[in-house]
């Protein structure tokens, strides 16, 4: 696996303001993403899993800058030296220096606006969960797939048409589909069209936001195989967001587990499934059904409900549902700590082993 980092987020936060009263004053925040640190290597598929509402999609959209982050850094294909220089300047007494502001303006995606952001978006694309809602029902397929080429000034006329045909063929469709509308296709075909559109600008990085969850099981397998082929052929880097653990096991090189806006465990796929260390990860994996009626699995039942992101628990956000929680867990949030090679866990219980 290539160890070069393509995408990195540091202390990333995305809060939504809660307004109340006659004058609509800010009375609180919904902490959708709350201090995430994450690295995605060139050429890998990083899976991001967790329960619905844990902040997976918000994190993906914030990385792509479809949402503006509240705080933190987003780096795309930036050298480690520049990241370290920014960190040192932030920690220094002169944290508002002109040099720091210039580095953040030119290298930190969270500060990009206008033309600089548009230019970088050619290299970063997204495939949404539901192709029925992500494709304009009034546009022909040739215009849907070709729109990014027009927006970014990459091709027009006959060249644009040829590139659209090539993209459709690459995802398993044909020239015959150019003059049809999205409603004339099946769910799997619509997702292929969405993938073709995402590939139009020849990106380096794709965010796949549950791209198979709205599809039949047999079609899911086809789309997953297509995504693997495209990654190999084009050298793509994926962030694969899903709640389906067997899907993420099939396609991902590493998996990050998210709970209530935070990453609680990160490891190679095989290591995570064979040796889950965080109690939340263990509970998720225990819920996977075993297709054998004679095998009785031991399922970990979590107590209580998922806390509200408006008022998350103090300390470790999982301690209210953890059967092994100690007093220390209520006081402060544990950091991701390395256990062996490339296995990171945010859990005081594991830290003391």
């Amino acid at each position: 696996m290539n160890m070069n980092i393509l995408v990195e987020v540091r202390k990333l936060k995305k809060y939504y303001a809660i307004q109340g009263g006659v004058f609509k004053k800010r009375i609180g925040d919904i902490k959708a993403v709350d201090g995430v640190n994450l690295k995605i290597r060139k050429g890998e598929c990083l899976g991001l899993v967790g329960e619905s509402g844990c902040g997976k999609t918000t994190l993906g959209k914030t990385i792509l800058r479809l949402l503006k982050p509240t705080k933190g850094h987003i780096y795309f294909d930036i050298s480690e030296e520049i990241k370290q220089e920014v960190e040192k300047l932030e920690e220094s007494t002169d944290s508002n220096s002109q040099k720091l502001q210039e580095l953040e303006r030119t290298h930190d995606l969270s500060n990009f606006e206008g033309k600089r952001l548009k230019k970088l978006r050619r290299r970063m694309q997204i495939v949404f969960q539901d192709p029925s809602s992500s494709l304009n029902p009034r546009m022909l397929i040739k215009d849907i797939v070709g729109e990014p080429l027009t927006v970014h000034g990459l091709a027009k006329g006959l060249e644009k048409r040829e590139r659209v045909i090539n993209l459709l063929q690459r995802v398993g469709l044909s020239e015959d589909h150019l003059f049809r509308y999205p409603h004339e296709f099946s769910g799997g075909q619509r997702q292929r069209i969405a993938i073709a559109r995402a590939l139009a600008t020849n990106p380096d990085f794709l965010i796949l936001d549950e791209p198979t969850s709205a599809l039949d099981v047999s079609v899911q397998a086809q789309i997953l195989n297509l995504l693997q082929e495209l990654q190999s052929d084009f050298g793509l880097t994926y962030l694969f967001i899903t709640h389906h653990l067997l899907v993420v096991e099939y396609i991902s090189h590493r998996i990050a587990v998210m709970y209530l806006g935070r990453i609680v465990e990160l490891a190679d796929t095989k290591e995570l499934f064979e040796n889950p260390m965080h109690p939340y990860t263990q509970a998720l994996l225990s819920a996977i059904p075993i297709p054998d009626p004679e095998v009785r699995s031991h399922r970990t039942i979590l107590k209580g409900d998922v806390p509200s992101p408006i008022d998350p628990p103090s300390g470790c956000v999982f301690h209210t549902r953890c059967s092994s929680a100690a007093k220390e867990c209520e006081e402060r949030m544990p950091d991701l700590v390395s256990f062996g090679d490339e296995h990171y866990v945010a859990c005081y219980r594991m830290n003391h082993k």
Side-chain angles (χ1 to χ4, degrees):
M1 177 67 66
N2 192 331
M3 293 297 290
N4 293 331
I5 303 301
L6 180 66
V7 180
E8 181 175 357
V9 298
R10 296 188 178 185
K11 301 177 183 178
L12 189 65
K13 297 182 179 182
K14 176 58 185 175
Y15 293 175
Y16 294 96
I18 302 172
Q19 297 177 330
V22 177
F23 299 103
K24 299 295 182 182
K25 291 184 178 180
R26 185 172 186 156
I27 59 174
D29 293 296
I30 299 174
K31 299 178 179 179
V33 177
D34 194 15
V36 167
N37 295 301
L38 197 62
K39 297 180 180 180
I40 306 174
R41 301 165 182 159
K42 288 183 180 179
E44 83 164 332
C45 176
L46 176 67
L48 183 62
V49 301
E51 293 172 286
S52 296
C54 71
K56 304 186 301 294
T57 295
T58 302
L59 176 59
K61 289 182 177 180
T62 306
I63 291 174
L64 200 62
R65 276 301 310 276
L66 296 178
L67 299 173
K68 186 172 178 62
T70 304
K71 197 173 182 181
H73 303 290
I74 308 169
Y75 297 112
F76 183 83
D77 204 12
I78 300 298
S79 69
E80 190 63 30
E81 290 76 14
I82 291 175
K83 300 173 194 174
Q84 291 177 356
E85 187 173 2
V86 170
E87 190 171 347
K88 288 180 181 178
L89 287 170
E90 284 184 326
E91 292 173 353
S92 69
T93 53
D94 190 17
S95 59
N96 294 318
S97 69
Q98 186 175 351
K99 185 177 182 180
L100 174 60
Q101 293 176 4
E102 179 64 19
L103 285 173
E104 291 180 337
R105 188 180 67 84
T106 55
H107 298 291
D108 185 354
L109 182 55
S110 63
N111 292 297
F112 282 17
E113 300 290 346
K115 292 182 179 179
R116 180 178 275 117
L117 183 58
K118 180 181 177 181
K119 183 178 180 180
L120 190 60
R121 284 219 174 108
R122 288 173 53 178
R123 302 180 62 191
M124 307 170 71
Q125 293 291 322
I126 186 169
V127 176
F128 293 101
Q129 176 178 352
D130 185 5
S132 299
S133 59
S134 66
L135 302 178
N136 190 328
R138 295 183 175 86
M139 292 178 68
L140 293 169
I141 300 309
K142 71 179 184 68
D143 298 319
I144 290 175
V145 178
E147 187 176 28
L149 298 174
T150 302
V151 170
H152 292 283
L154 299 176
K156 60 182 180 180
L158 184 60
E159 182 187 359
K160 175 183 171 182
R161 177 186 172 90
E162 290 299 319
R163 289 182 66 169
V164 169
I165 292 172
N166 289 336
L167 285 166
L168 289 177
Q169 291 174 340
R170 191 62 191 81
V171 298
L173 300 175
S174 70
E175 185 177 352
D176 297 335
H177 297 123
L178 284 174
F179 294 93
R180 297 185 188 180
Y181 291 94
H183 73 270
E184 300 179 68
F185 295 88
S186 67
Q189 288 175 320
R190 284 195 289 265
Q191 197 61 289
R192 290 174 186 269
I193 293 165
I195 293 170
R197 178 180 61 183
L199 293 175
T201 60
N202 194 26
D204 300 305
F205 177 55
L206 282 185
I207 293 178
L208 305 167
D209 186 10
E210 306 214 32
T212 61
S213 64
L215 308 176
D216 294 336
V217 174
S218 60
V219 180
Q220 285 185 20
Q222 296 172 15
I223 296 298
L224 289 174
N225 289 333
L226 172 63
L227 290 171
Q228 285 188 323
E229 291 173 11
L230 294 172
Q231 183 176 30
S232 176
D233 293 346
F234 294 106
L236 296 169
T237 302
Y238 291 158
L239 175 62
F240 194 98
I241 299 170
T242 184
H243 63 273
H244 198 311
L245 290 166
L246 294 181
V247 167
V248 81
E249 181 185 19
Y250 178 75
I251 196 171
S252 299
H253 299 102
R254 293 188 301 148
I255 297 175
V257 181
M258 195 167 184
Y259 181 80
L260 210 63
R262 294 177 178 268
I263 302 298
V264 297
E265 186 162 4
L266 174 65
D268 289 340
T269 300
K270 184 179 180 181
E271 171 69 13
L272 190 83
F273 274 79
E274 292 180 353
N275 183 33
M277 301 177 74
H278 196 282
Y280 178 61
T281 309
Q282 294 168 359
L284 287 179
L285 295 180
S286 74
I288 299 175
I290 299 175
D292 187 342
E294 297 183 359
V295 176
R296 297 181 63 86
S297 61
H298 174 70
R299 183 172 179 182
T300 303
I301 305 297
L302 297 177
K303 61 182 181 181
D305 298 321
V306 179
S308 170
I310 298 174
D311 185 24
S314 60
C316 175
V317 290
F318 187 67
H319 84 263
T320 57
R321 306 177 73 193
C322 180
S323 59
S324 304
K327 184 67 177 177
E328 187 177 18
C329 303
E330 303 176 16
E331 297 172 353
R332 62 187 181 91
M333 180 66 189
D335 296 322
L336 279 170
V337 177
S338 175
F339 287 85
D341 294 333
E342 301 299 323
H343 197 156
Y344 301 88
V345 187
C347 179
Y348 284 123
R349 184 182 71 170
M350 298 309 306
N351 293 357
H352 292 162
K353 279 193 173 184

